[in-house]
Amino acid sequence: MTGVGPNIAKGPFMSDLKLSLPERAILLILMAANAELSNKQIAEIYAPGLQLTGKSRVKLVDAKLIECRKEGRSFVFSLADGGWWWGREELTREVPKGAGSAGQALYAVLKRLDHYLDATGRSLAQVLGVQPESDDREVVPVAAASESRPAADEIEKRVRRAYGELAKAAGDWVGLADLRQHFSDVATADLDGVLRLMARMPGVHLEEETNQKGLEGRDRAAAVVIGSRDHHALAIEEL
């Protein structure tokens, strides 16, 4: 892979951002619809009385979870890359307090969707969004689950060690195809989950290759999906 290391402005995803039930509902509706929606459409099609206005609108825009634009006298909303990222993580979260029996049922379905994505290696954007299935993406065998399955913190330590062996210096870009060669004993879904978590840590960056023509099949197969984008390279500022 050539030209790794795009200089793309990154907006931090606020994993500890506190969202109200209506704000969560808005994000889940935008995720399911995969389309621009106005408050009127949200109320008429999905949830009567539900609107995104004022501080909540600014909050979700500032957190880079949604995109918002003015159309006539109304706002229309769509899910941003950070919103897809949030949605993928939301599949694994506990049921919010006060969600009621309908919320319990919804999150049971979300949990099953999480299992499906892990089992198939697909991204949330491939199932609900517009990200196409890639013919170049190889099927990578998933390591059999066992009692010796490594914990997330152990996988993180191994990622940092492997990066240190592959990078010429701290902060250099390392292709995930090369990194994955050190993890033949780790389930793809487990490694991907740790990489997504590390991408939110200070000094850790995951980015896509901007020169798509320079990607080889192994680079595409090794990509980790965050939001709706494939990411192909890792950089860690301090070893």
Side-chain angles (χ1 to χ4, degrees):
M1 181 171 63
T2 60
V4 174
N7 184 19
I8 299 175
K10 295 170 68 72
F13 175 71
M14 303 177 186
S15 60
D16 58 347
L17 184 67
K18 304 300 182 185
L19 298 178
S20 66
L21 284 177
E23 290 164 352
R24 288 173 184 262
I26 289 286
L27 290 172
L28 290 172
I29 287 171
L30 292 175
M31 183 174 73
N34 186 35
E36 284 189 327
L37 294 174
S38 65
N39 277 321
K40 181 180 179 181
Q41 291 170 315
I42 291 171
E44 290 181 349
I45 301 172
Y46 296 97
L50 182 63
Q51 291 192 356
L52 182 59
T53 59
K55 292 182 179 180
S56 288
R57 183 182 69 241
V58 173
K59 176 181 176 182
L60 297 186
V61 170
D62 286 349
K64 302 187 185 304
L65 297 180
I66 68 168
E67 294 178 356
C68 173
R69 67 180 181 84
K70 200 75 175 292
E71 189 174 86
R73 300 179 62 183
S74 303
F75 287 104
V76 290
F77 315 105
S78 60
L79 208 62
D81 280 352
W84 286 106
W85 188 349
W86 172 90
R88 185 63 183 89
E89 293 188 338
E90 189 69 7
L91 302 185
T92 67
R93 292 196 180 102
E94 297 300 318
V95 182
K97 292 182 179 179
S101 58
Q104 294 284 344
L106 170 62
Y107 276 78
V109 174
L110 295 183
K111 190 78 69 177
R112 290 299 300 169
L113 177 56
D114 171 58
H115 293 164
Y116 170 78
L117 296 178
D118 281 347
T120 62
R122 289 181 171 86
S123 71
L124 186 60
Q126 285 173 331
V127 175
L128 299 178
V130 296
Q131 184 182 42
E133 300 283 353
S134 173
D135 293 335
D136 295 326
R137 189 180 297 279
E138 301 172 7
V139 177
V140 181
V142 177
S146 69
E147 293 182 358
S148 61
R149 183 177 178 181
D153 59 345
E154 179 58 31
I155 296 176
E156 181 194 340
K157 292 177 183 177
R158 288 181 56 184
V159 168
R160 291 181 181 275
R161 285 199 299 267
Y163 174 84
E165 295 175 11
L166 294 168
K168 294 181 179 179
D172 285 352
W173 291 97
V174 168
L176 294 187
D178 295 329
L179 184 77
R180 287 191 189 276
Q181 292 183 351
H182 292 250
F183 292 89
S184 59
D185 60 322
V186 176
T188 302
D190 290 346
L191 179 56
D192 286 358
V194 170
L195 289 171
R196 291 187 185 102
L197 290 172
M198 291 182 68
R200 305 204 313 259
M201 298 177 181
V204 179
H205 308 286
L206 276 165
E207 284 294 357
E208 65 180 331
E209 170 57 66
T210 53
N211 179 19
Q212 294 291 310
K213 292 183 179 179
L215 288 173
E216 299 176 358
R218 64 190 294 268
D219 299 315
R220 298 183 188 278
V224 60
V225 178
I226 300 177
S228 60
R229 297 188 295 131
D230 281 356
H231 292 63
H232 309 94
L234 169 70
I236 301 178
E237 294 177 6
E238 294 185 9
L239 300 179

